[in-house]
Amino acid sequence: MTDIKRKDIRDSFVLFFAQMLSFAIITINYRAISQANYLWSILSDVIVAGLSYFVVRRIAKSKDSTRQWFGFTSGSAIGTAIGIFISKIILGC
């Protein structure tokens, strides 16, 4: 396996986990805002902003790749499901 393919696969996993975490936090943020929960709204906003900056810089510095796109996209979908589950625990139903 070439170094370029390894880097491409590693980048796709990094984007997957970053996007998964980001969408989980965004989902928590939506629920916190709808419940007027100031603490969770502000905390989740700060985390989303930091993660977004990381993801944008990571994508901007990399070449186009189907693997990275797949990691990024699938991380979004899975992150939303995880965010719903976690938000039900910390914010209630």
Side-chain angles (χ1 to χ4, degrees), residues 2 5-6 9 13 18 24-25 27 33-34 66 75 77 79 82 90 92:
T2 66
K5 282 188 179 181
R6 269 190 220 136
I9 291 169
F13 277 108
I25 301 298
T27 303
I33 290 169
S34 71
T66 303
I82 291 170
I90 62 175

Side-chain angles (χ1 to χ4, degrees), residues 2 8 16 18 24 33 39 43-44 53 55-56 60 73-74 76-78 83:
T2 66
D8 190 34
F16 170 81
I33 290 169
L39 176 64
L43 286 174
S44 57
Y53 181 79
V55 168
V56 167
T73 306
S74 59
S76 302
I78 293 170

Side-chain angles (χ1 to χ4, degrees), residues 57-77:
R57 285 196 39 96
R58 188 75 177 211
I59 291 171
K61 290 183 175 186
S62 68
K63 62 178 183 61
D64 288 340
S65 162
T66 303
R67 287 183 190 98
Q68 290 175 351
W69 171 84
F70 182 75
F72 184 80
T73 306
S74 59
S76 302

